[in-house]
Amino acid sequence: MSLVKRCRPHRSPGLPVLVVGALALAAGLAGGPASAASQDTLHDLASAQGKYFGSATDNPELPDAAYAAKLGSEFGQITPGNSMKWDTTEPTRGRFDFAKGDVITDFAQEHGQTVRGHTLVWHSQLPGWVGALPSTEVETAMTDHITAEATHYRGEVAAWDVVNEPFNEDGTFRTSPFYNAMGKDYIAKALRAAHAADPDAKLYINDYNVEGKGAKSDAMYNLVSDLLDEGVPLDGVGMQAHLAIQYGFPYQMQANMQRFADLGLDVAVTELDVRMQLPADAAKLATQSSYYAQVVDACLAVERCVGITVWDYTDKYSWVPSTFPGEGAANLYDDGLAPKPAYAAVRTALGDDGDDDGGDDGGDGGTPGTLKALYRANDTAAGDNQIKPGLQLVNTGTAPVSLPAVTVRYWFSGDNGATTYGSWCDWSPIGCSTITHRVVAASSPKSGADHYLEVGFTGGTLAPGAATGEMQLRLSKTDWSNFNESDDYSHGTGASYADASKVTVYVGGALVWGIEP
Ligand code: 9MR
């Protein structure tokens, strides 16, 4: 029904474009959040959007007081990295040891956190005695293990990764003592046993390389569809999301999540990290930031994506360097527990506005003198069905600014008609492919400003004194009904670029330019 009317981009060759070439780490951003004292935590920000934000942890890390303090304060959910696995909890048949897992559930209870139990049935970290069993005994051993562990943690674990990593990369079932003994039926049997032991826990199948569409996620989709058809107790799919910048971002992650959600399942990002080949540099960290932000964006866009867990929050305790020699720097915080650019990018993606109230409601002061916004109306028809802001950013500070940490808001009112929007970038000298844009409903709607067009960046650095050059942006309602732009907060009529105090700019979620409505 809606005809997408594309505007012809109009270039402005006379405008100075000093931009972006070499990427350099913006010193002021590597240190993370702009306001330290009482800012929202990642979990506060996620909670404001109906999600949790968690981290894996492991027992040997907890005596590190600085680490434990941040683990207990910044995250609302924790997953034991190792201490609920079979080799720890039942190293000898029938002799259970939940001491290490109990340390994790105690920590969570002391800090008001939920726990994802990880994991009941997995081919790895499996004690030797399981593999040595005659195949006729494997089912009983599996059921006994699940029953004992899920019963022990009943009421303390909100969700279980009941079955972990059942697939090969090509979508065939991975062989394991369980598959060898029972075929794929081991999965349904495991889920039924877990449900019997803890009927309130959410039960998941968890795997890696199922974040995007492909053979492996198709296999997962077919499996969970069949299980649901058979009435097997299954609540969700865990997407581990061990990403690597050298392999690209998962193909159609949001749509992939949505197809599982459309089956009536929850989706969780269970083990997120984004590794790179070492040494890290500013360009790689910027790409990493955009990967983290894209995962957050995908989860926020899918209602049944319940939350995100990072596979530990600091490079100090990452599993990556020992598994992938020469790779690392995969986490949100560095070895010294300082937040990296990805931390700011995640905050921004979660809707941080620098206030301490769980997200975006506008209203804080900001720090002038870092970036400024210029605006011109690329549109002389203030009553038609499209809004066409031309925007530019200029770095007015003395330090380079990492663009993935930056967002810009053009505030407008939707007027009557559809409440859903499309947005476009028609042209920019920095390339529309590096510019992200979406329309967001303001959480504190004001007259003339019940929505804003949010502009962000997937990469690049703005050197001191440099400008992005113009970004020709456009938005419309999905029903193509008309706007009355003349009362829009950010709207102006100037045909030349000029400083625009009613276009607001944020770095790491903190307001640095403009006045919010
Ligand atoms: O983080 C875990 C690491 O400490 C262990 O050495 C490793 C052994 O396999 O398991 C790591 O966690 C894995 C998780 O349980 C399942 N998905 C992949 C994770 C990283 O290997």
Side-chain angles (χ1 to χ4, degrees):
M1 48 159 273
S2 69
L3 295 171
V4 177
K5 302 178 186 174
R6 293 203 61 94
C7 291
R8 283 249 300 281
H10 35 162
R11 292 167 183 265
S12 300
L15 282 167
V17 176
L18 307 169
V19 185
V20 179
L23 289 146
L25 186 61
L29 292 174
S35 62
S38 62
Q39 73 170 10
D40 293 315
T41 67
L42 293 176
H43 182 64
D44 291 335
L45 296 169
S47 296
Q49 311 255 14
K51 322 278 183 190
Y52 61 79
F53 203 99
S55 175
T57 189
D58 206 359
N59 298 59
E61 303 163 13
L62 295 177
D64 177 342
Y67 168 85
K70 199 167 286 298
L71 179 72
S73 59
E74 188 81 32
F75 303 95
Q77 176 273 323
I78 55 177
T79 304
N82 286 299
S83 51
M84 290 186 189
K85 291 174 178 171
W86 196 319
D87 59 353
T88 300
T89 57
E90 194 187 4
T92 306
R93 189 169 187 181
R95 297 185 60 176
F96 291 91
D97 182 354
F98 298 117
K100 288 184 179 165
D102 291 352
V103 170
I104 303 297
T105 52
D106 288 349
F107 184 96
Q109 283 157 26
E110 282 160 23
H111 295 88
Q113 296 165 315
T114 58
V115 176
R116 295 194 82 260
H118 176 84
T119 173
L120 294 171
V121 181
W122 188 27
H123 67 277
S124 182
Q125 290 177 278
L126 192 61
W129 65 263
V130 180
L133 289 173
S135 63
T136 50
E137 286 187 43
V138 173
E139 180 174 344
T140 305
M142 182 186 82
T143 308
D144 290 349
H145 178 76
I146 293 170
T147 303
E149 182 156 0
T151 301
H152 178 81
Y153 287 113
R154 186 161 55 203
E156 298 187 288
V157 158
W160 270 111
D161 291 330
V162 177
V163 174
N164 196 38
E165 301 175 3
F167 291 111
N168 296 312
E169 291 307 288
D170 63 0
T172 55
F173 284 101
R174 186 197 288 273
T175 55
S176 67
F178 313 107
Y179 184 79
N180 294 345
M182 291 168 267
K184 70 181 171 65
D185 290 348
Y186 85 89
I187 296 170
K189 290 175 193 281
L191 288 160
R192 289 198 162 102
H195 183 66
D198 186 352
D200 294 328
K202 300 285 187 191
L203 304 184
Y204 281 71
I205 303 174
N206 188 51
D207 213 328
Y208 59 90
N209 288 349
V210 294
E211 299 79 25
K213 288 191 178 172
K216 197 170 179 180
S217 64
D218 287 350
M220 178 71 93
Y221 184 84
N222 293 335
L223 169 67
V224 299
S225 302
D226 290 348
L227 292 171
L228 292 174
D229 286 347
E230 293 160 21
V232 175
L234 174 69
D235 298 288
V237 170
M239 300 181 171
Q240 293 185 6
H242 292 293
L243 309 184
I245 62 170
Q246 65 271 26
Y247 300 135
F249 192 77
Y251 177 62
Q252 294 189 352
M253 183 168 189
Q254 180 185 323
N256 187 47
M257 283 180 166
Q258 189 64 54
R259 67 173 169 159
F260 288 100
D262 290 344
L263 293 173
L265 291 170
D266 289 341
V267 177
V269 177
T270 53
E271 305 183 16
L272 174 62
D273 50 21
V274 183
R275 64 186 188 271
M276 61 187 67
Q277 280 154 347
L278 298 173
D281 61 26
K284 293 176 190 173
L285 292 171
T287 303
Q288 177 187 57
S289 299
S290 107
Y291 277 38
Y292 270 103
Q294 288 179 74
V295 172
V296 173
D297 287 346
C299 184
L300 292 182
V302 175
E303 196 177 348
R304 295 204 63 155
C305 178
V306 294
I308 296 172
T309 308
V310 290
W311 205 241
D312 229 316
Y313 70 83
T314 162
D315 294 340
K316 187 175 184 180
Y317 297 124
S318 173
W319 68 290
V320 168
S322 61
T323 306
F324 300 100
E327 297 181 41
N331 302 72
L332 293 176
Y333 292 71
D334 69 16
D335 284 323
L337 305 187
K340 291 157 63 179
Y343 174 84
V346 167
R347 296 187 67 85
T348 301
L350 287 170
D352 184 31
D353 66 356
D355 277 353
D356 59 355
D357 60 356
D360 159 34
D361 66 354
D364 41 16
T367 325
T370 308
L371 289 170
K372 70 175 182 177
L374 280 64
Y375 162 83
R376 78 169 182 195
N378 276 335
D379 182 1
T380 50
D384 71 358
N385 57 14
Q386 299 191 69
I387 298 179
K388 300 174 196 164
L391 300 175
Q392 295 197 39
L393 289 182
V394 180
N395 183 348
T396 55
T398 52
V401 173
S402 173
L403 284 171
V406 175
T407 51
V408 185
R409 292 181 188 175
Y410 176 91
W411 301 83
F412 67 97
S413 63
D415 304 310
N416 298 319
T419 54
T420 49
Y421 295 83
S423 61
W424 297 269
C425 172
D426 286 322
W427 186 76
S428 175
I430 62 172
C432 282
S433 61
T434 65
I435 296 171
T436 63
H437 44 84
R438 59 175 183 165
V439 170
V440 180
S443 56
S444 302
K446 307 267 168 46
S447 172
D450 51 29
H451 288 77
Y452 54 86
L453 174 67
E454 183 184 72
V455 179
F457 303 88
T458 61
T461 295
L462 211 51
T468 57
E470 69 174 322
M471 298 178 280
Q472 293 179 10
L473 300 152
R474 186 161 55 87
L475 67 96
S476 73
K477 284 174 270 188
T478 51
D479 67 355
W480 291 88
S481 59
N482 286 343
F483 294 97
N484 172 17
E485 288 184 63
S486 51
D487 64 352
D488 285 352
Y489 181 73
S490 296
H491 179 70
T493 53
S496 309
Y497 278 97
D499 290 1
S501 64
K502 291 182 170 182
V503 172
T504 49
V505 182
Y506 308 79
V507 176
L511 183 70
V512 298
W513 167 264
I515 301 159
E516 292 183 329

